[in-house]
Amino acid sequence: MARRDVRRHRGRSALILVMVAVPTMLLVFALTAMATSQIDGPEQIPFRMGNGVGALEYPQPNAVDQPFDPSSGMASSGEVAPIPGWVGGGSSFDNAQAISSLTGTTAVPWLEESVTTRRDERRLSLQSLAIDVRSGLTDKVTLTGGRLPERVGEVLVTESGENRGLPTSGSLTLRVGGSEREVVVVGTARALSQHGGMHEDLVTPAPFVAGQPAGGWILLDNEPVSWRDVRDLNRYGLVVWSADVLRNPPDASALSASQRSMAQFDQDRMGTFVAIGGALLLVITTLLVGPAFAVSAARQRRTLALSASNGATTAQLRHTVLAQALVLGVIAALAGAGLGVLLTWVVATRSLLAEFLGVWGPFEVPVVPVLVTTAAAMASAVIAALLPARRLGRLDIVGVMKGQNVSPRPSKVVFVIGALLAGLGGFSVISLAATQAATGRDGGEVKTVLATLALVVGAVMLAPMLLVGIARVSSRLPVSLRMATRDAGRQRSRSVPAVAAILAGVAVLTMVLIASGSDEEQRRREYTAQNILGDATVHSSKADLSAQEVERIAAGFRAVRPGLEIAPVAMVDAGEAWMYAPNPAPPTRPYDLHAVNVVPPGCTPERTVNDAPVAPTGTNEQPPCQVIGTQGMGNAQMNFTTPDEIRRRLTAIGHAKDVDAVLAGAVVIARAAGTPRVVTDGTVTVMTAIQRIDPVKEQLGDGSAQELRDIRTTALPAVEVELDRDTIGPLLSSSLLATTDTAKAQGWPVRTSRLTLHDPAGPISQDLSDRLGFGADDDVYIAAERGFVSEYATIIAVLLGIFTLLLLVITLTSTALTLTEQENDQATLAALGSGRGTRRVMAAAQAFTLCAIGAVLGVAVGIVPGIALAYPLTAQSYDPLTGEGITGDPVLVFPWLVLVGFAVAVPVVAAGLAAAGIRKAPDATHRTA
C-alpha cells in the first residue's frame, strides 16, 4: 500500500525525497571528502616513494626521534652522526651516492623547485619536481603521452600544469633563480607530490639550480626497510618513510617514551564529527519533511476514517502512515548517501575539481560513518511521520466524514516541558560558549550540540500554544490575516509542522549570520592597513635591495606605467641576513647584531635590549623598556624613506606643518592611545650598540649569552603623531618614521626592505598590479592596499538564496494543503459573489502568516546559538596598534537589517506566489448541513 501511495502522489513523494536526500548527500559528501583528503598510513606510499621500499628526507642538524608514520610529528634526540661521503651544502642529487652507500640500496634523488613562466600576460608560479624516473621508479610519475625526458632542458608537463595553461609540446620559457631557461616539453605525465595530491606542474630529470641543500631520496631495493633500519638511519638526522612499517607498524612499545606520550594526544575527530552531524541531520531533516507528511496525513483523513469505520484499528491506521514514511525514508536516504559518495568520487578523480575543493588522495569511503548517517536519515523520515500517525488515535471519524476537522486543545504539559527545554538548552549553550571563550580550550562540541537541539526542540514544543495565543490576539488585524491566524490556531496538525520547519531553517540562518557577522567585525577591527589606500607595496625575497636593484625594478615599473611614484623603504639592518636565506641554517658560533632602540623615560639603554617584564606572570603586558626598535615588542617598527614620500604621507594625515622639521632631521613617533610616552620636551632618546650573541650559551639558558658593547645614546627632535586606524597605513605601520638621510646621519645601519608605489592618476587597480608584476623578477611581489575586503559576502548571499528557496517550498506546501481543505469555503465565497482577488488575498494571507510566524520564532531561537558561536570566535582578539593579544568581551554583531528584511521579504514573496497560484474559480457544489 505504501509503495503504491508513493507512486500515486508523485509530487509529494518527490518533495520528501529531496528534503531527506539533499542533507544526507551533503553530509555524506563531507564525510567521504574528509576521509579521502586524509592521506595517512599506507596511503602515503605512492605519493612518498612510488614503488620504492622507503623514502628519506634531507638530513636535519640533529638526530631524529620519529614515530612509525612521520607525518604525525617527530622530535630531536641528540647529536647527529656524520654520513660517510657527504658533500656539505650539496643537494640530494649531489649526495645520492652517499645515501646509496649508507642504505645499501639504489637511492633515487628528488628535489622540488619553484619556477615561473609568463603566459597570457600573467606570471605563473609553478612547482617543478626534479627526479629521474628512468631508474626503475614507477607509480610516482606516470607517463601519459610522449616520452620521458633524457637530458637537462627536457621536461614533462603534468595534469596540473596542463590545467593551468602550459603547453603539452614545443618549447617553454621558464625563469629560474633570476635567469631565463628555455626547455622543451617532450611529454605529459601524472605526478604525485610528496605532500599528497598532484600539485607538481613540471617534471625534469635534474634540478634547474644546482647545490640546493634540500630534497630527499627514494630507496629502490628488493628488501624492505625495517623498523630497526629506520632507527639506525634516524641517528644520521634522516626522517625515514618505510613502506613496510607504514603497512605493518610494530607494537607501540617499539616507540620511544616521548613518542608514546605524543601519540596519546593524537585524537581522531571523525567520531565526534559523525555524532554531531548525525544528530543535526536527524533533527533538521525531521523538521524539513514534517510539513510534507502533514499534507499526506491530512489528505488521507477521509480514507483512514472510512477504514476506521469499517473496523480498522488505530495501530493499523498508524502503520499505514509510518509505512509510507519508511519507504520514502529508505529510498531518499540510500539515494542521498549514494549521490554523496558518487559526488566525492567525481571530485577526487577530476584534477580541476580536486584542486579547487582540496579533495586530494586515494578515494576512500568511511563505511561506518556513512552507514550511521544513512540510518539517521531514514529515522528522520519515520520520526517526521510519527506525530501525524499518533494523532490518528484521536481521529474524529464523524467530523472527518462531515468535512470538519479541528485540532484538539494544545497540551499545557507539552508547553511547560518545551519552555523548560528551551530555557535549559539556551542557558547551557551560552554557559558552554562563555566557558570555552574564557579558558580558550577546544572541545565540548557534543554538549553544545545537545544543548542546541534541546533549545530547538523546546521551541517547537511551544509552537502549538503560541499559535493559539496569536489567534486570540489577532482581533485588530485585517480580515484576511485574522482568518489566517485563526485557521493556523485551529488547524495545528498542518500549521505546526510548517512553522517548525521554517523556525529551524531561520534559526540556522540567524545563527550563521550572527557568528559570521561577529567574526567579520572582529577581523575588520583588527585589520591593519599596510599603506595608503590605493597605493601598493613591493616586496622582495631578498633581505636587502641594493640601489642598482631598486633602480632596475623602478625602471621596469615606469616602462609599464610612466609617472609612477616609487620610493624605497628602509629599516634597521640588525645583521640577521642569514635568516632570509632560502634554507637558513642557524649560526653555531658567536656573532654580532646591531641594536637600535628608543630609550623610554626611566629606562637605561641596556634595558631596551634585554628587559625582564615587571607584569605578573600570565599577563600580556610587554616589557616597559622594549618599546620601539630592534628589540621592541608588538608594533615597534622603525622605517625610513625619501623626503618626498615623507612629505606626502605626513600631509595625508594632516601633519603638513611638521614636514620641515622631519626633513631637517626630526623623527616621527607614532604612539597608540594607552601606551607610554617616549617623547620628552620635544625630543626622544635613541641608543645604538653592538650585541654579541653566543648561540651555544643561549641554548643552555646561560644569562651571559648576550653582551653589549659600544653603547651610544643620542637625543633627537621628535614629532608625536597619534597612531590609529587612519594613520597606521600612511605611516607604514611604523612607530618611528624618518628620512633615510636622517638614519644614515645618525650612523644607524639600514637596509632597503621594500618599495612603495603611488599612481598620481588614481588607485592602483588589480589589472595594473598584474601588468607590473608580469615584467618583474620572480622574487618581486606587489600588494595593493584596498582596505578591508569582506570574505563572507558571497557565502552569505548563497546562504540567503538557499534558505529563501527552502522556506518558500515549506510555506507553499502548507499553503497548498490549506487551500485544498478550504475548497468548500472557497466555493461558498464564490457563490456569494467574491471574485478571484478575494480568494487570492486569502491565499496570500495564509502563506504570509505561516512564514512570518515561523521566521520570527526562528530569529528568536537562532540568536542564542549565534551568540554561543560568536563567543569563542571573537573572545580572543588582537590589537594591531600595540601588537598585543587581548582576552576580553567578545564581539557581537546582530545583522538586524538582513534578518528583518529576510523575515519580511520571504513571507511577502511566499504570499505573492500563493496568490498567483489562484487561477480558476472553485467548483460550487451542494453542501450538506
Side-chain angles (χ1 to χ4, degrees):
M1 290 177 61
R3 181 175 56 84
R4 291 176 180 176
D5 186 77
V6 168
R7 294 177 58 186
R8 187 179 300 114
H9 301 94
R10 292 185 178 88
R12 172 180 57 83
S13 301
L15 177 64
I16 295 175
L17 288 173
V18 171
M19 290 294 188
V20 176
V22 171
T24 307
M25 179 190 69
L26 294 177
L27 185 55
V28 169
F29 171 75
L31 291 170
T32 312
M34 182 187 302
T36 301
S37 300
Q38 290 178 344
I39 305 175
D40 51 15
E43 293 179 342
Q44 302 174 91
I45 293 175
F47 296 93
R48 293 282 178 182
M49 63 197 76
N51 66 326
V53 296
L56 310 180
E57 293 184 5
Y58 200 85
Q60 300 187 13
N62 300 309
V64 175
D65 177 19
Q66 73 166 72
F68 305 133
D69 185 351
S71 63
S72 59
M74 63 198 71
S76 299
S77 63
E79 188 176 352
V80 66
I83 299 175
W86 182 261
V87 178
S91 70
S92 56
F93 283 77
D94 300 326
N95 289 290
Q97 184 57 48
I99 296 298
S100 293
S101 301
L102 179 67
T103 59
T105 64
T106 300
V108 180
W110 63 266
L111 183 68
E112 290 180 333
E113 296 177 289
S114 294
V115 300
T116 64
T117 188
R118 270 64 176 170
R119 305 288 298 180
D120 302 326
E121 297 188 355
R122 293 182 301 138
R123 180 172 66 179
L124 291 180
S125 296
L126 306 174
Q127 193 73 15
S128 174
L129 174 64
I131 189 169
D132 192 351
V133 296
R134 296 174 299 167
S135 55
L137 178 67
T138 60
D139 298 338
K140 183 162 178 65
V141 178
T142 304
L143 189 68
T144 58
R147 63 174 177 84
L148 293 175
E150 300 175 351
R151 60 183 64 86
V152 178
E154 295 182 340
V155 300
L156 297 175
V157 171
T158 68
E159 294 178 6
S160 174
E162 188 175 353
N163 291 334
R164 302 187 65 191
L166 297 183
T168 56
S169 62
S171 62
L172 177 65
T173 301
L174 302 176
R175 291 194 183 185
V176 185
S179 61
E180 290 191 351
R181 188 78 57 90
E182 193 82 14
V183 298
V184 178
V185 180
V186 297
T188 58
R190 181 177 182 269
L192 303 181
S193 171
Q194 300 291 327
H195 314 291
M198 296 179 286
H199 304 300
E200 315 293 0
D201 300 300
L202 300 171
V203 178
T204 178
F208 294 112
V209 179
Q212 302 180 70
W217 303 265
I218 295 174
L219 307 182
L220 300 179
D221 198 21
N222 295 325
E223 297 296 326
V225 178
S226 66
W227 177 244
R228 182 175 180 179
D229 296 332
V230 171
R231 298 303 294 159
D232 288 341
L233 292 172
N234 288 160
R235 296 187 298 108
Y236 298 95
L238 296 167
V239 177
V240 185
W241 306 77
S242 167
D244 181 64
V245 173
L246 290 173
R247 291 192 184 101
N248 308 293
D251 188 81
S253 59
L255 293 172
S256 66
S258 61
Q259 285 295 339
R260 289 198 301 270
S261 176
M262 292 173 61
Q264 295 177 356
F265 295 95
D266 185 18
Q267 301 177 353
D268 183 10
R269 311 288 297 181
M270 179 66 79
T272 301
F273 182 83
V274 172
I276 294 174
L280 291 175
L281 177 69
L282 186 65
V283 174
I284 292 174
T285 307
T286 299
L287 294 175
L288 289 179
V289 300
F293 282 113
V295 170
S296 176
R299 285 185 172 179
Q300 297 181 60
R301 276 201 300 264
R302 185 174 180 82
T303 302
L304 296 175
L306 285 172
S307 300
S309 66
N310 285 286
T313 64
T314 301
Q316 291 173 330
L317 299 180
R318 288 174 176 171
H319 291 164
T320 302
V321 177
L322 292 177
Q324 297 172 14
L326 184 61
V327 171
L328 289 171
V330 169
I331 295 174
L334 292 178
L339 288 174
V341 172
L342 178 62
L343 181 60
T344 308
W345 178 81
V346 171
V347 170
T349 54
R350 301 295 187 272
S351 57
L352 277 177
L353 290 174
E355 183 177 0
F356 179 73
L357 297 176
V359 185
W360 291 107
F363 176 67
E364 179 182 355
V365 179
V367 178
V368 174
V370 169
L371 290 178
V372 171
T373 302
T374 306
M378 295 178 183
S380 67
V382 176
I383 294 173
L386 190 60
L387 290 179
R390 284 184 57 83
R391 295 193 188 98
L392 295 176
R394 297 177 290 177
L395 185 65
D396 182 5
I397 299 176
V398 176
V400 171
M401 298 299 294
K402 293 175 61 177
Q404 299 172 352
N405 180 57
V406 179
S407 300
R409 289 179 176 272
S411 173
K412 295 181 180 179
V413 175
V414 172
F415 180 81
V416 173
I417 294 175
L420 291 175
L421 272 178
L424 182 61
F427 176 78
S428 299
V429 167
I430 296 297
S431 299
L432 289 170
T435 302
Q436 182 179 350
T439 60
R441 297 178 181 175
D442 294 328
E445 296 93 343
V446 175
K447 293 181 180 178
T448 302
V449 169
L450 291 177
T452 303
L453 294 181
L455 171 63
V456 174
V457 172
V460 171
M461 295 174 70
L462 297 176
M465 190 69 77
L466 291 176
L467 288 176
V468 173
I470 292 172
R472 289 178 178 175
V473 299
S474 62
S475 59
R476 295 185 178 276
L477 293 176
V479 175
S480 57
L481 292 178
R482 185 163 68 247
M483 292 177 64
T485 54
R486 290 179 178 178
D487 181 77
R490 285 195 305 267
Q491 306 294 340
R492 292 183 301 280
S493 60
R494 54 174 164 77
S495 57
V496 168
V499 170
I502 296 171
L503 182 153
V506 176
V508 172
L509 180 63
T510 302
M511 175 182 67
V512 172
L513 289 178
I514 292 176
S516 61
S518 300
D519 185 53
E520 186 89 337
E521 175 62 18
Q522 184 187 46
R523 293 174 61 250
R524 187 192 66 78
R525 294 180 185 181
E526 294 178 355
Y527 178 77
T528 304
Q530 302 297 313
N531 211 332
I532 296 177
L533 191 65
D535 286 6
T537 304
V538 180
H539 301 276
S540 173
S541 59
K542 296 182 179 180
D544 186 7
L545 291 171
S546 65
Q548 293 77 14
E549 289 174 320
V550 170
E551 185 55 37
R552 179 173 55 82
I553 294 172
F557 287 163
R558 290 193 180 100
V560 176
R561 186 71 163 185
L564 198 66
E565 297 179 4
I566 304 170
V569 178
M571 60 185 300
V572 175
D573 184 6
E576 75 284 25
W578 58 270
M579 296 177 60
Y580 300 91
N583 296 281
T588 57
R589 297 181 179 181
Y591 59 96
D592 291 337
L593 291 178
H594 296 280
V596 181
N597 295 306
V598 170
V599 183
C603 295
T604 62
E606 291 80 5
R607 289 185 63 189
T608 64
V609 177
N610 189 10
D611 188 23
V614 297
T617 303
T619 63
N620 292 323
E621 295 184 27
Q622 66 182 33
C625 294
Q626 295 180 231
V627 180
I628 302 174
T630 52
Q631 275 73 35
M633 301 292 181
N635 185 57
Q637 294 271 354
M638 301 176 71
N639 290 315
F640 317 102
T641 187
T642 63
D644 290 340
E645 194 68 8
I646 289 284
R647 177 181 289 105
R648 187 173 73 88
R649 293 178 177 276
L650 288 181
T651 303
I653 61 175
H655 280 261
K657 57 182 175 51
D658 299 317
V659 170
D660 293 339
V662 176
L663 298 185
V667 297
V668 178
I669 298 294
R671 189 181 73 87
T675 58
R677 292 183 178 275
V678 298
V679 178
T680 304
D681 298 330
T683 61
V684 65
T685 302
V686 181
M687 64 82 67
T688 59
I690 302 297
Q691 184 183 16
R692 184 73 168 177
I693 296 180
D694 189 331
V696 177
K697 292 183 179 180
E698 194 173 47
Q699 289 183 358
L700 297 175
D702 192 335
S704 63
Q706 300 182 7
E707 298 178 357
L708 291 180
R709 69 175 189 274
D710 301 337
I711 300 175
R712 180 172 61 89
T713 60
T714 306
L716 296 174
V719 173
E720 195 170 32
V721 176
E722 182 180 357
L723 185 65
D724 55 26
R725 297 190 177 279
D726 296 327
T727 60
I728 191 169
L731 293 177
L732 297 171
S733 300
S734 309
S735 288
L736 186 150
L737 181 65
T739 64
T740 308
D741 294 337
T742 298
K744 293 179 178 179
Q746 296 299 323
W748 301 340
V750 298
R751 58 182 173 87
T752 301
S753 58
R754 60 192 190 276
L755 310 176
T756 62
L757 306 181
H758 172 68
D759 187 359
I764 295 177
S765 64
Q766 184 62 51
D767 176 69
L768 178 57
S769 295
D770 293 340
R771 288 191 287 118
L772 293 173
F774 177 78
D777 293 340
D778 291 346
D779 59 353
V780 173
Y781 306 92
I782 303 173
E785 179 58 58
R786 295 185 174 88
F788 177 73
V789 179
S790 173
E791 297 178 356
Y792 294 146
T794 303
I795 298 176
I796 295 301
V798 171
L799 284 177
L800 288 174
I802 293 174
F803 279 97
T804 298
L805 179 61
L806 189 63
L807 265 59
L808 289 177
V809 170
I810 295 170
T811 304
L812 295 177
T813 300
S814 182
T815 304
L817 171 60
T818 302
L819 296 178
T820 300
E821 290 189 340
Q822 292 180 350
E823 286 181 353
N824 290 335
D825 296 334
Q826 295 283 336
T828 301
L829 289 173
L832 294 175
S834 66
R836 188 185 307 175
T838 302
R839 297 193 302 276
R840 283 182 171 177
V841 169
M842 293 180 62
Q846 292 283 351
F848 180 85
T849 300
L850 285 176
C851 196
I853 293 174
V856 171
L857 293 177
V859 171
V861 172
I863 287 176
V864 177
I867 295 174
L869 283 177
Y871 260 76
L873 280 175
T874 62
Q876 305 291 330
S877 60
Y878 168 79
D879 187 348
L881 302 180
T882 62
E884 295 183 357
I886 301 172
T887 301
D889 295 333
V891 179
L892 293 178
V893 173
F894 297 93
W896 293 118
L897 290 178
V898 177
L899 292 175
V900 172
F902 185 81
V904 172
V906 175
V908 170
V909 173
L913 293 176
I918 304 297
R919 294 187 176 274
K920 64 179 182 177
D923 296 329
T925 58
H926 176 70
R927 297 183 59 186
T928 58

